[in-house]
Amino acid sequence: MSDPHADRSDFAPDVIVVGAGLAGLVATHELALAGRRVLVLDQENRHNLGGQAWWSLGGLLFVDSPEQRRMGIEDSPELAWQDWQGSAQFDRLGDGTDGPGRGEDYWPQRWAEAYVRFAHEEKRDYLRALGLRSLPFVGWAERGDGRALGHGNSVPRFHLTWGTGPEVVRIFAEPVQRAEARGLVRFAFRHQVDELAVEDGAVVGVRGTVLVDDDSPRGVRSSREAAGAFELRAPAVVVTSGGIGHNHELMRRNWPADRLGAAPEHLIAGVPAHVDGRMQGIAADAGATTVNRDRMWAYVEGIHNWDPVWPDHAIRILPGPSSMWFDATGRRLEGMSGVPGADTIGAMKQILGAGHDYSWFVLTQSIIEKEFALSGSEQNPDITGKDLRFLAQSRLAKGAPGPVEAFKEHGVDFVVADDLAELVAGMNRLARGPQLDADDLRRQIEARDRQVDNAFAKDVQVMAIHNARRSRTDRLLRVAKPHRILDPAHGPLIAVRLNILSRKTLGGLETNLDGQCLAADGTPVPGLYAAGEVAGFGGGGVHGYNALEGTFLGGCIFSGRAAGRALAR
């Protein structure tokens, strides 16, 4: 796709932004508001404006929001900060001071404190002023590991954007495009940065490869054939290039096997191929420090997309709490991490601890109709399209939403059967590991089924279901009425093979609260800034070891805003 602004010789930018994803758009928006000239480079074409954020469900974490209060949810910044600390488990603080003795979590912890304040005091109003609206129903993601001071959200905080990821992108893309029309912003698509130009210890620009025109649709793997070279200069460069989620070699190299178990052999990609992690190494070559490389957020509920856009295209199931969860050997996952949607890292440890890289959901038609949602803007056309009638038809009518039923019918990971023996036979045909024993699975399912006959139970999952249904959102839209898995009235039975899905990078370039990249001695690298996922969404790891969800888009927004405003000053 030819770029009408391919000649940059008449444009002297104040700032070069590397990456046209959400963090890059936010930084550019803030710079343009201040009258600064910005050149935005991206190795993809204009169709990909907004990057990975466009594909997202659009979830945002707010603290003590009007939506929460209307749903009877009592939240507070103190509770949110307690939850964040329990989830992040910051344990690399060093001597607790800035400078050579600081640990890898020194700046991430400071970013986390600032982010929780932002989520309580400013985030909602900042986004609403740009035109964003949320659905009135507040979801409960990462419900926790069962400890008050441990991982997880104590209350529902997941606010779903009306319009999903494309709407989050739109509210920043449109003002940036207006600034482009005024001559303050220019884009250079199909420009792949290969090196940061450094003079006298300061970053003064970028060098790289102009890639051949490629008009591929959004998300499709594009050509890397070179058509030329470029060198561009500016007083400051902001790296907003995203994470490492499609660079599976780099993920496996940094995988924390001692903490989670061996890296998965079978890994499917929840992000497009251009999410390659190249800029982390390029920034490091210019003097920036990368921290917390071993922290990443891979999901355990991945399914192969039956209608893929990018290679190994994966979709995440956003589950309610009622499906029974078994590892590859047929052993039911234990504790709160065995409750779907409660504790991603805890479930990962159990699954990989069994010696295999997949697991199983066993559920009923009643559960799939009420509890299965799919990640991604394209998997939620009613909300993405902001169609109220379609939303009511797809979410409240009998049957599962259309995209869920399509996966049940076409997805290679799904088995549907009228009885358990038939179901297990189908699961064994899909197994990449041991064959499951139908009698053993029946014994475990019947034991759980006996726990749902009254309001009292000792089964952690059944207790979690009763607790979830105290939330108005969950009772109305998200959690099925407790019932026996083997009750034919709720059939057919369904099994889903769950694969490990790459998604977010939790570590990254270390930055101070202005988004300045830091050298090994703790001093800023002159002229170099970073924001978004490449910076671990702020500081090099604002989430620590775990994420509370609804914080990835918010992290791009918060860190992109911080870098843009600092440079504007």
Side-chain angles (χ1 to χ4, degrees):
M1 181 174 64
S2 298
D3 188 337
H5 300 299
D7 181 9
R8 312 289 157 201
S9 59
D10 63 336
F11 187 73
D14 299 304
V15 179
I16 292 173
V17 173
V18 181
L22 180 59
L25 288 175
V26 175
T28 301
H29 167 63
E30 291 291 342
L31 286 159
L33 283 178
R36 305 293 187 262
R37 296 182 303 276
V38 187
L39 175 60
V40 184
L41 309 180
D42 200 284
Q43 63 187 1
E44 300 305 311
N45 62 32
R46 190 180 283 264
H47 296 319
N48 289 275
L49 192 67
Q52 171 61 19
W54 190 92
W55 295 98
S56 77
L57 188 60
L60 293 164
L61 180 144
F62 299 134
V63 176
D64 190 28
S65 69
E67 290 80 9
Q68 286 175 298
R69 293 194 292 271
R70 281 194 292 268
M71 296 300 293
I73 300 163
E74 295 186 15
D75 198 7
S76 70
E78 294 79 16
L79 182 60
W81 180 230
Q82 175 180 300
D83 287 346
W84 195 290
Q85 292 180 93
S87 298
Q89 300 167 26
F90 293 125
D91 59 2
R92 299 171 179 174
L93 295 170
D95 63 10
T97 61
D98 189 13
R102 77 193 187 285
E104 291 183 282
D105 281 336
Y106 173 79
W107 283 107
Q109 186 179 59
R110 294 191 64 188
W111 272 91
E113 291 180 273
Y115 182 79
V116 171
R117 285 196 302 272
F118 174 65
H120 176 236
E121 297 173 358
E122 295 183 74
K123 184 178 177 183
R124 184 178 181 276
D125 290 343
Y126 176 71
L127 295 173
R128 284 180 69 84
L130 290 163
L132 184 138
R133 296 295 182 269
S134 300
L135 288 171
F137 306 106
V138 183
W140 197 356
E142 287 296 299
R143 298 166 190 244
D145 63 9
R147 298 175 299 145
L149 290 174
H151 167 59
N153 287 292
S154 297
V155 297
R157 295 190 177 106
F158 190 87
H159 296 67
L160 185 58
T161 297
W162 184 231
T164 69
E167 180 71 359
V168 179
V169 171
R170 181 195 68 79
I171 65 170
F172 291 102
E174 287 186 353
V176 166
Q177 289 164 336
R178 290 194 292 270
E180 182 185 18
R182 298 197 310 273
L184 274 178
V185 173
R186 288 201 182 178
F187 287 96
F189 295 102
R190 303 295 291 158
H191 279 57
Q192 175 184 276
V193 173
D194 302 319
E195 180 185 4
L196 295 174
V198 180
E199 294 178 3
D200 298 324
V203 173
V204 296
V206 296
R207 302 185 184 97
T209 305
V210 179
L211 303 174
V212 296
D213 286 351
D214 188 327
D215 197 33
S216 297
R218 181 186 292 273
V220 172
R221 186 195 291 273
S222 63
S223 170
R224 289 294 177 265
E225 181 183 348
F230 68 88
E231 179 170 352
L232 299 162
R233 296 175 69 90
V237 173
V238 186
V239 177
T240 58
S241 55
I244 68 172
H246 208 108
N247 189 336
H248 293 174
E249 179 186 354
L250 187 57
M251 282 186 65
R252 291 188 176 100
R253 194 186 313 157
N254 293 321
W255 188 266
D258 58 333
R259 202 169 68 244
L260 298 184
E265 293 183 17
H266 185 84
L267 189 62
I268 50 180
V271 294
H274 61 74
V275 184
D276 55 23
R278 291 178 70 252
M279 285 304 301
Q280 277 196 9
I282 291 168
D285 290 341
T289 301
T290 302
V291 295
N292 298 311
R293 295 173 185 265
D294 62 324
R295 294 178 184 170
M296 56 194 79
W297 195 246
Y299 289 113
V300 287
E301 311 99 337
I303 51 177
H304 298 80
N305 194 343
W306 64 273
D307 186 20
V309 176
W310 54 79
D312 301 318
H313 189 171
I315 298 296
R316 184 202 173 197
I317 295 171
L318 304 172
S322 300
S323 298
M324 292 191 69
W325 203 345
F326 301 89
D327 67 23
T329 71
R331 180 184 61 86
R332 188 182 178 195
L333 269 59
E334 298 175 344
M336 277 300 297
S337 60
V339 178
D343 178 7
T344 293
I345 296 298
M348 177 85 73
K349 291 177 182 178
Q350 292 198 56
I351 292 164
L352 294 179
H356 304 278
D357 56 14
Y358 68 100
S359 61
W360 298 99
F361 275 169
V362 173
L363 60 149
T364 64
Q365 180 68 23
S366 294
I367 292 173
I368 202 172
E369 290 181 3
K370 193 75 172 277
E371 298 197 6
F372 267 37
L374 301 172
S375 65
S377 54
E378 82 285 10
Q379 299 298 328
N380 295 273
D382 49 352
I383 303 173
T384 301
K386 297 192 281 190
D387 188 327
L388 282 170
R389 179 177 295 181
F390 187 18
L391 175 68
Q393 290 173 343
S394 63
R395 308 287 164 160
L396 298 177
K398 184 170 176 54
V404 175
E405 282 291 342
F407 267 91
K408 195 180 83 172
E409 180 179 353
H410 303 295
V412 298
D413 297 298
F414 284 73
V415 181
V416 182
D418 289 325
D419 62 69
L420 187 61
E422 181 187 354
L423 187 80
V424 173
M427 294 166 73
N428 283 333
R429 287 192 291 271
L430 292 184
R432 296 194 296 268
Q435 296 290 284
L436 302 173
D437 182 275
D439 290 337
D440 185 51
L441 217 62
R442 181 181 297 277
R443 177 185 61 82
Q444 296 178 79
I445 295 172
E446 287 178 343
R448 187 267 199 183
D449 278 357
R450 294 186 188 103
Q451 297 286 308
V452 302
D453 287 339
N454 56 60
F456 302 96
K458 68 176 182 179
D459 186 280
V460 169
Q461 181 179 24
V462 176
M463 289 191 288
I465 293 167
H466 288 313
N467 189 43
R469 284 175 60 83
R470 296 172 65 189
S471 159
R472 296 175 192 170
T473 297
D474 279 354
R475 191 176 186 90
L476 178 64
L477 297 172
R478 201 69 178 95
V479 181
K481 185 177 180 180
H483 60 272
R484 290 174 176 252
I485 297 292
L486 296 180
D487 182 351
H490 292 276
L493 291 169
I494 301 164
V496 187
R497 181 184 60 184
L498 303 174
N499 310 272
I500 294 175
L501 149 89
S502 69
R503 182 61 62 82
K504 299 298 181 186
T505 311
L506 299 190
L509 298 173
E510 187 178 31
T511 60
N512 63 20
L513 291 177
D514 284 336
Q516 293 176 291
C517 289
L518 302 178
D521 64 359
T523 60
V525 178
L528 184 59
Y529 292 70
E533 196 173 348
V534 73
F537 302 89
V542 67
H543 301 93
Y545 289 99
N546 295 279
L548 290 175
E549 297 287 30
T551 55
F552 297 135
L553 296 177
C556 288
I557 293 165
F558 185 52
S559 59
R561 189 182 83 147
R565 289 186 173 184
L567 280 163
R569 290 195 297 268

